[in-house]
Amino acid sequence: KSSLLSGKQMKEKLENAALQNMLMNIFFIFSLGAWLYYTLNTISWNYSRYISPIKLISLLSLGVLVVYTCKYAVIRYSGWAFRVQHITDHYLFNVFFINKVLAICLLPFTILMAFGTAEVASMGSLLSILLVILLFAIRYIRSWQVFGAFFQYSKFHFFMYLCASELLPLAVLIKLIMLGLS
């Protein structure tokens, strides 16, 4: 008997661990919220004199929660409405799997930015931004594999999906934070 699991078996095993998945998703929310705070703080975005860092990290985490909850609801509804639940389930698995990996990978960088010198924080910020870009690129490549059949005739539609469901919510969140704290 082989000790290695196939991709499908691994996916089923991960999907059946509901409590662990929920805890890792919560960890992702707080990890990304803290990383956003320290990354923005490293780039001379210091609003801690107006709002305490704990409140700001909580607000950023709440923003991440709202974005991903809305995204999850819209994708679930779209899968049900267009009768493509299998494809949307696979897509959501990819999204949340990459999010879990991202949460674990961002933790050391967040610690470096929180407790390191300005030079270390700056280097950690840059490297972590590159890591986030790399993991998002992997997520989009995996998304293309899932939705490739739908977008085989028009790459423009995939680009529009990418902007509407991935980039727009993050841009709105950052804009709201900037307006709310200025």
Side-chain angles (χ1 to χ4, degrees), residues 18-97:
L19 177 64
Q20 292 86 349
N21 276 330
M22 182 184 68
L23 292 174
M24 282 301 294
N25 288 333
I26 291 169
F27 177 65
F28 165 74
I29 289 166
F30 288 113
S31 178
L32 189 62
W35 176 79
L36 284 170
Y37 171 77
Y38 287 111
T39 300
L40 293 172
N41 206 23
T42 301
I43 307 172
S44 299
W45 187 73
N46 190 2
Y47 284 99
S48 57
R49 59 185 167 207
Y50 303 116
I51 298 177
S52 73
I54 297 296
K55 285 183 183 177
L56 200 49
I57 290 172
S58 298
L59 285 173
L60 288 168
S61 297
L62 182 64
V64 171
L65 175 67
V66 167
V67 166
Y68 275 96
T69 301
C70 292
K71 179 177 180 167
Y72 179 81
V74 167
I75 290 172
R76 279 283 178 211
Y77 175 75
S78 298
W80 172 78
F82 297 115
R83 298 175 195 230
V84 289
Q85 289 98 343
H86 175 69
I87 292 172
T88 56
D89 287 345
H90 189 69
Y91 171 74
L92 286 171
F93 173 80
N94 286 335
V95 167
F96 287 106
F97 181 73

Side-chain angles (χ1 to χ4, degrees), residues 109-126:
F109 291 108
T110 304
I111 292 170
L112 277 176
M113 288 185 286
F115 299 111
T117 62
E119 295 82 25
V120 171
S122 161
M123 184 58 70
S125 177
L126 178 64

Side-chain angles (χ1 to χ4, degrees), residues 8 33 35 44 55 63 65 84 87 102 106 124 136 146 159 171 182:
K8 186 176 181 178
W35 176 79
S44 299
K55 285 183 183 177
L65 175 67
V84 289
I87 292 172
L102 185 62
L106 287 180
F136 271 81
V146 172
F159 175 74
S182 60

Side-chain angles (χ1 to χ4, degrees), residues 149-176:
F150 291 120
F151 302 118
Q152 65 185 349
Y153 299 111
S154 176
K155 294 183 182 22
F156 174 75
H157 289 102
F158 182 72
F159 175 74
M160 293 304 294
Y161 145 77
L162 184 68
C163 291
S165 70
E166 302 287 345
L167 302 177
L168 184 64
L170 293 175
V172 168
L173 176 64
I174 291 171
K175 183 68 173 179
L176 287 174

